[in-house]
Amino acid sequence: SSDLNKIRLFNLRFAKMWKIPTNLLEKNDDHALINYVLEQLTEPETFLKKVKFLYGSNLDDHDELKFKDGKVFERKSFPLSLDGDDKQARVWTFRDITEEVNRNVEIEHYENYLEELVAKRTKDLQEANAKLETFNYSTSHDLQTPLRSIDVYSAILLEEYKGGVDDHGKNCIDRIRESTQQMEFLIEKLLKISKTTHEE
């Protein structure tokens, strides 16, 4: 009611949710009952300030109440005019949303874990790619020199010893040169890929 220390009516579910002992209910001491309720909250002064404000207004209101033992209640309050009473009362409802809140916290923690895992995997992949690019670039350069030697010496054989090499031998040397040129072409492509990965 408008008197903060006067509770007109509550149901047994409220008493059970707030773990109000039977002897306190039987005393019918509203002030003691309200203090018992406030002592369970992590921020009792904030809640009491909100209550005082609401009793001076016609606003509907809701928020969440956090308990010292980890519980979380969703609180709703709306004004109620009583017949034959100039004073305005308020109706208060509470819903235990502890599991829902804890589930959301778990989901948030899991999402953060996944983000960290993705970031780590991405970093590992980038490092692996960088090593692969370095290896690719180095190996490609190292292969070019012996390939050119094979091609050059094959050309020398055909030019300087063409009289001493029969048609079958010439054909074999031509195939060697074609293969080395093909491999040189592939190496150039690999080097081009290595350069491309460093560009936007």
Side-chain angles (χ1 to χ4, degrees):
S1 74
S2 55
D3 178 357
L4 293 182
N5 292 328
K6 181 63 179 174
I7 298 175
R8 293 188 177 229
L9 179 68
F10 63 86
N11 60 26
L12 293 177
R13 177 64 181 158
F14 168 84
K16 186 176 181 181
M17 286 178 69
W18 289 82
K19 297 181 180 177
I20 300 171
T22 306
N23 62 337
L24 183 57
L25 292 173
E26 290 172 351
K27 285 181 181 178
N28 202 24
D29 184 343
D30 295 334
H31 182 73
L33 187 58
I34 290 171
N35 283 338
Y36 181 85
V37 165
L38 290 174
E39 285 173 4
Q40 298 184 57
L41 303 177
T42 56
E43 298 181 9
E45 293 302 322
T46 302
F47 178 56
L48 191 56
K49 186 177 179 181
K50 172 67 76 72
V51 170
K52 289 177 179 178
F53 167 76
L54 289 174
Y55 272 110
S57 76
N58 290 318
L59 298 175
D60 289 357
D61 187 70
H62 75 278
D63 60 12
E64 291 180 3
L65 300 177
K66 295 183 179 179
F67 287 65
K68 293 174 183 175
D69 65 1
K71 288 198 304 286
V72 183
F73 283 1
E74 177 187 61
R75 177 201 61 79
K76 293 183 180 180
S77 177
F78 55 90
L80 176 68
S81 295
L82 302 175
D83 293 338
D85 193 343
D86 292 336
K87 294 179 179 180
Q88 181 169 283
R90 291 193 72 87
V91 176
W92 300 80
T93 64
F94 301 92
R95 183 172 71 93
D96 190 339
I97 58 170
T98 307
E99 287 187 12
E100 182 181 329
V101 169
N102 289 341
R103 189 164 48 247
N104 290 339
V105 169
E106 276 186 36
I107 290 170
E108 186 178 347
H109 285 168
Y110 190 65
E111 286 174 347
N112 291 338
Y113 166 74
L114 287 179
E115 287 177 8
E116 290 173 6
L117 189 63
V118 169
K120 185 181 182 305
R121 292 286 188 268
T122 302
K123 184 181 177 184
D124 291 345
L125 184 60
Q126 288 171 340
E127 289 175 357
N129 282 339
K131 289 178 182 177
L132 186 60
E133 288 169 20
T134 302
F135 174 77
N136 181 30
Y137 190 79
S138 174
T139 305
S140 299
H141 270 289
D142 292 345
L143 286 173
Q144 280 183 324
T145 302
L147 280 175
R148 285 176 185 148
S149 295
I150 294 170
D151 187 45
V152 168
Y153 284 114
S154 298
I156 291 171
L157 277 174
L158 283 177
E159 182 65 27
E160 295 186 6
Y161 297 93
K162 55 186 174 185
V165 181
D166 61 15
D167 290 340
H168 178 69
K170 289 177 184 179
N171 185 262
C172 287
I173 294 172
D174 285 337
R175 285 176 178 269
I176 290 170
R177 294 197 67 201
E178 285 174 11
S179 295
T180 56
Q181 287 164 8
Q182 176 65 18
M183 195 163 181
E184 179 107 21
F185 172 78
L186 294 174
I187 288 171
E188 286 175 5
K189 293 294 183 185
L190 285 173
L191 289 171
K192 192 172 182 181
I193 288 172
S194 294
K195 291 176 183 177
T196 303
T197 56
H198 293 290
E199 299 173 0
E200 286 192 20

